[in-house]
Amino acid sequence: MCTRRIELTFIAPELAWVKEEKMTFPPQAEGAATDGIDFPFDFPFDFADARKGSATWEIDHVTASDFQMIVYGPCVNPRILVNDQAYEVFTTLESNEYMIIDSRDYTVYKYLANGTVQNLFDNRGLEQSIFEKIPSGLLRINWSGDFGFDLTLCLERREARW
């Protein structure tokens, strides 16, 4: 009988649990926010925000979170407001192009239709940091509505949520 001793070591770069939450915000035409809310009688007020480029998202977490934001073209100088924090890059995206803002790596890259990748770090809005973490709680999200984007939050905890 032969016995072997095997030693195994685990290394964690960060001692945290990370759960990703993703929300897609498609381009919005005028009045699209009220689609589907139609009663056989009228109310003296509206149940939804009729403005295009307006959304809310409830984040149930204890701290602000790093994120990855993917903006899809076509658009010029995309600007997204999350609770009055501006995430803005001065660039033009054509219809088959997209841009990724990554707050963990402090990077902004544009992916062109021909496969070329451009670094847009110097084209970011400097009035407010585009790498500012997204707060928890109720998020009020506003943009022109002419383009779509995905927002993925990295909800990080030091211990597992039970």
Side-chain angles (χ1 to χ4, degrees):
M1 179 177 206
C2 185
T3 60
R4 278 190 209 168
R5 182 176 176 188
I6 298 175
E7 190 172 309
L8 184 61
T9 304
F10 290 96
I11 297 174
E14 300 217 12
L15 298 176
W17 297 88
V18 178
K19 177 185 173 200
E20 291 187 350
E21 281 200 28
K22 180 179 178 181
M23 179 78 97
T24 298
F25 301 91
Q28 294 180 349
E30 291 288 346
T34 59
D35 288 350
I37 303 177
D38 191 18
F39 294 99
F41 47 89
D42 201 10
F43 286 95
F45 53 88
D46 290 329
F47 284 98
D49 192 350
R51 296 176 297 167
K52 75 178 202 174
S54 179
T56 58
W57 187 15
E58 181 75 31
I59 302 299
D60 182 22
H61 194 59
V62 293
T63 62
S65 303
D66 280 310
F67 66 92
Q68 185 180 70
M69 185 182 293
I70 304 174
V71 179
Y72 302 98
C75 61
V76 176
N77 300 335
R79 176 183 169 97
I80 299 165
L81 293 173
V82 179
N83 291 357
D84 298 324
Q85 168 68 33
Y87 299 89
E88 180 176 27
V89 179
F90 300 105
T91 189
T92 299
L93 298 174
E94 300 301 330
S95 61
N96 290 324
E97 298 176 345
Y98 62 97
M99 171 185 70
I100 298 178
I101 302 171
D102 193 322
S103 71
R104 283 190 279 189
D105 298 333
Y106 292 92
T107 58
V108 187
Y109 288 109
K110 177 180 175 179
Y111 295 83
L112 283 73
N114 65 5
T116 305
V117 179
Q118 292 180 348
N119 187 343
L120 297 179
F121 187 82
D122 293 335
N123 298 67
R124 71 195 191 285
L126 298 177
E127 228 176 88
Q128 295 179 319
S129 174
I130 65 168
F131 304 116
E132 183 74 26
K133 291 183 177 189
I134 305 284
S136 60
L138 182 63
L139 301 180
R140 295 175 322 280
I141 301 167
N142 296 290
W143 75 105
S144 69
D146 297 330
F147 59 91
F149 65 98
D150 295 336
L151 183 56
T152 303
L153 300 180
C154 302
L155 307 179
E156 190 174 297
R157 298 179 67 92
R158 296 291 176 207
E159 60 185 46
R161 186 172 187 168
W162 301 102

